[in-house]
Structures are given as structure tokens and as C-alpha cells.
Amino acid sequence: MLNAFNLEGKIALITGCNTGLGQGMALGLAQAGCDIIGVNRAGPGDTAEQVAAQGRRFWSIQADLTQPAIVPQVVEQAIRLAGRLDILINNAGIIRRADALTFSEQDWDAVMNINSKSVFFLSQQVARQFIAQGNGGKIINIASMLSFQGGIRVPSYTASKSAVLGLTRLMANEWAPYGINVNAIAPGYMATNNTTALRNDAARQQEILSRIPAGRWGQPEDMMGPVVFLASRASDYVNGYTLAVDGGWLAR
Ligand code: NAP
């Protein structure tokens, strides 16, 4: 049975893997046997060395996903480098915090472009490649607790991550006949750059911690098992589902 989780020989493209959850997932996939193509707006940081240390190949593509027009070039470059794609992880994302009453159009567009628009168009481009290759593929989107809840002071983030949940279902419906599984992971409150502001606010940090049944913030390593499952043959009959990895936050 454990063989169904083995990703040896698979190629995964992952956006935003220089740090945080993206780095954790890249390392988890590499440990399961994957070679990794990392798409980052600057460099891949030490993820390249860490993947190589697992005996896996790592290719770096530099691209700013705020501009969805760049997507076709990213996929072309990935195919030139690795020859093929098996798995796409749409991880890159940003957050902007301000009151809804004063929230700016700039903060709306910046977040929606990377968190939703690029997710859709990159998935579309990769799905076309999967279909051309003829043996299916796996797409995993990174959603959020704010795919399920409203949140506070993060209107464009809530809109973008709610869109990710809906788009995950839509893409799963349309592409399941091609053997493509589209699912999402909704991380809870994880200790990364994304949540630095929350963790630096002592009152807010305590408030959040006190309602996590697991009694701790999540870590990038907590994403490894779930992402390997959704990237592997073990999840071939899982379609359009958003899996919470949240220490029980939503169960409260
Ligand atoms: P992070 O440490 O801030 O990582 C975000 C990643 O996205 C970084 O690699 C970042 O690159 C990349 N990125 C941002 N803008 C980009 C752009 N325009 N083009 C290409 N790459 C870009 O935060 P994280 O927590 O690991 O976030 C990863 C994903 O998980 C995001 O989608 C986030 O919304 C989601 N998430 C996080 C939490 C949490 O509690 N941390 C909870 C739910 C969902 P740079 O380093 O160059 O900025």
C-alpha cells in the first residue's frame, strides 16, 4: 500500500518555494521521490540545496506571478527544463491587512492577481500540458481558513481564498475525465512570514493559540503528509476537495 504514496520519477512545479509552506511542501515531495521545479520571484533560497540533499533534481524559474501574462512562459520553460510535468502546487500568495472601510483598490488587485487569477491561469496552462501528455496529473491549490470563514481586516485575501475553494471544485469537475485530480489544502494558522504580524501582536497571538485544539501553531512540516497524499496515486479518487490542515481550528 505504501507504494501508492511513492512519487519517484514525478516532476512537481511549485510556486513560491523559497520559504514557509512552499519550502516545506517542496521538501516533503522531494522526500517522497519527486524532482522539483521552483517558481520564485527572486531566487529559490536554500530550497535548491535542501532538495539536492535528498538526491532529487531542482530547477529554478524566476517569475513574478502578479502578472498572469507570464504564465505561458513559465510552463514552456518548465517543459524545456524537465521535459514533462506531473504535479502543480499553487502555493505563492500574499496578504494585505487594512480595515474594510478604507481598503484600497491597489491592495485588492495585488492580492487577487496572485492568489486567484494566476492560480487559475497557471492551472489552465498546466492542465493543457497534462492533457497533451495523456496520463493525467495532480493540481493542489493552497486555500486558507478564510476559504471557510470571513476573517477580519483582510477583504481581498478572504475573497481570493474563497475563490480558490470554488475554483478547485470547478477545475476538478471539468478535468476529472482527463485523469486530472484538482484538490486544495487549507492551512490553519502556520508560523511563516505570512503570519508574522499576527504572531508579533501578543494579544492576537494568544487569542489564536487558545482556540487551536492541537495547542500550537502549524509548521511547514505539517504540510508534508497531506501534500504527498494529494500528489500521489493514493488520492486518485479524491476530486475537488479542500482538506483543512489546521490543528482542529475549523472543528471548534
Ligand atoms: P510566505 O512565507 O509569505 O510565502 C509566500 C510565498 O509566495 C513566498 O515564496 C513568496 O515569495 C511567494 N510569492 C509572493 N508573491 C509572489 C509573486 N508575485 N510571484 C511569485 N511568488 C510570490 O507565506 P506562507 O505562509 O508560506 O504562504 C504560502 C501559501 O499558504 C500562501 O498562498 C498563503 O496565503 C497560504 N496560507 C498561509 C497560512 C499561514 O498561516 N501561514 C495560512 C493559510 C494559507 P517571496 O519570498 O519572494 O515573497
Side-chain angles (χ1 to χ4, degrees):
M1 176 63 221
L2 286 179
N3 264 347
F5 293 85
N6 191 338
L7 298 179
E8 211 139 321
K10 301 285 184 191
I11 312 276
L13 186 151
I14 172 159
T15 64
C17 71
N18 59 322
T19 183
L21 305 185
Q23 182 175 59
M25 289 188 285
L27 298 180
L29 292 168
Q31 283 174 28
C34 248
D35 294 325
I36 307 289
I37 307 168
V39 179
N40 292 284
R41 58 180 159 180
D46 65 355
T47 306
E49 289 78 51
Q50 292 201 50
V51 167
Q54 300 293 331
R56 304 299 163 197
R57 291 177 292 178
F58 183 92
W59 298 276
S60 176
I61 295 179
Q62 199 161 339
D64 183 345
L65 294 167
T66 316
Q67 307 298 336
I70 204 164
V71 158
Q73 286 158 253
V74 169
V75 177
E76 275 163 34
Q77 201 179 338
I79 302 306
R80 246 194 334 270
L81 290 168
R84 191 187 82 251
L85 282 176
D86 302 297
I87 298 155
L88 167 66
I89 316 288
N90 281 305
N91 168 73
I94 59 170
I95 191 163
R96 297 277 167 86
R97 298 176 196 279
D99 293 342
L101 283 176
T102 52
F103 204 80
S104 70
E105 188 175 352
Q106 198 183 17
D107 283 344
W108 179 270
D109 289 341
V111 172
M112 292 299 283
N113 275 346
I114 171 148
N115 291 17
S116 295
K117 194 170 176 181
S118 282
V119 167
F120 175 70
F121 285 103
L122 186 54
S123 300
Q124 179 192 60
Q125 198 71 24
V126 169
R128 288 173 179 162
Q129 175 65 25
F130 286 162
I131 291 166
Q133 291 172 181
N135 47 9
K138 303 278 185 176
I139 297 178
I140 299 154
N141 300 319
I142 302 308
S144 165
M145 294 295 95
L146 301 192
S147 304
F148 302 96
Q149 302 178 304
I152 190 161
R153 301 188 73 247
V154 287
S156 57
Y157 191 79
T158 301
S160 71
K161 294 297 187 179
S162 297
V164 165
L165 186 147
L167 282 171
T168 297
R169 290 175 171 153
L170 175 133
M171 296 188 288
N173 293 339
E174 291 205 22
W175 300 337
Y178 300 101
I180 300 172
N181 297 79
V182 187
N183 290 290
I185 296 175
Y189 285 83
M190 317 294 275
T192 68
N193 298 337
N194 177 288
T195 53
T196 304
L198 291 179
R199 285 176 295 111
N200 287 345
D201 177 338
R204 192 83 179 92
Q205 122 93 16
Q206 192 44 46
E207 190 183 36
I208 289 168
L209 186 60
S210 67
R211 73 149 280 183
I212 302 174
R216 62 172 178 87
W217 285 64
Q219 297 296 330
E221 296 73 37
D222 291 313
M223 300 290 282
M224 289 179 170
V227 80
V228 167
F229 167 61
L230 290 177
S232 73
R233 196 157 55 77
S235 60
D236 275 356
Y237 201 59
V238 180
N239 297 77
Y241 194 69
T242 296
L243 173 66
V245 176
D246 64 351
W249 175 274
L250 287 180
R252 261 318 260 268

